Amino acid sequence: MGGAASKKLPMEDLQFLIENTNFSKQQIKAWYKGFMKDCPNGQLTRAKFLEVYSSFFPQGNAEKFCEHVFRTFDSDNSGKIDFKEFLLAINITSAGKPEQKLEWAFQMYDVNGDGTIEPKEMTEIIAAIYNMVGPQLAYNDPNDTPEQRTTEIFGKMDENNDGVLSKDEFIKGCMADQFLYQMLTADSSGE
């Protein structure tokens, strides 16, 4: 194969993305063109993802948070993100409904993939967020540590007091608390 023909988005992928995202055919093609420019082999590697994502947070260290985001985007666990995985994730994080964003966020916080969020997992993600945004946010309040924040969140969300958050508890807790929703999904619009 090779050549220009292999650079075209397969029709079945285009159709799938039209049906499963909020993007138009033209938008999908534009995203694809940019993706292929940055990733000529059609695969976004962990290293390239970190390079691009880190540029958005020059004051902080985005590496740990990027690992979690990359893991969540890489739905087939291949170690690379193909265009479909990329656009589906972009769609949810940018244009998805609040419940979709929360389901995606739940996957990211459920580091070990067992269907619940343990305090250790939430602390790990919150610490990564604090490292990423840099000292200006992380050190505003010396009592606002990842551990303290996790304790507060679990106090509000863990309805059955079993020490872990189910997907249902996580989604209900975030939907009931605008601040938590915005913090845990990194969605400042709240929509």
Side-chain angles (χ1 to χ4, degrees), residues 16-17 20-21 23 75 83-93 104:
F16 176 85
L17 291 167
N20 291 283
T21 70
F23 297 116
S75 58
F83 180 69
K84 268 178 31 180
E85 289 171 319
F86 173 77
L87 202 61
L88 286 169
I90 292 294
N91 180 65
I92 289 169
T93 57
W104 186 87

Side-chain angles (χ1 to χ4, degrees), residues 36-89:
M36 293 305 290
K37 184 174 176 243
D38 290 338
C39 310
N41 68 352
Q43 302 284 315
L44 179 57
T45 64
R46 185 175 263 107
K48 180 72 173 175
F49 183 80
L50 177 61
E51 175 191 318
V52 172
Y53 208 94
S54 294
S55 68
F56 295 116
F57 300 94
Q59 270 70 45
N61 179 352
E63 187 168 352
K64 282 283 183 205
F65 188 71
C66 283
E67 285 292 323
H68 295 295
V69 173
F70 187 89
R71 173 182 46 77
T72 310
F73 274 36
D74 182 18
S75 58
D76 65 358
N77 296 315
S78 66
K80 295 183 172 87
I81 298 171
D82 65 25
F83 180 69
K84 268 178 31 180
E85 289 171 319
F86 173 77
L87 202 61
L88 286 169

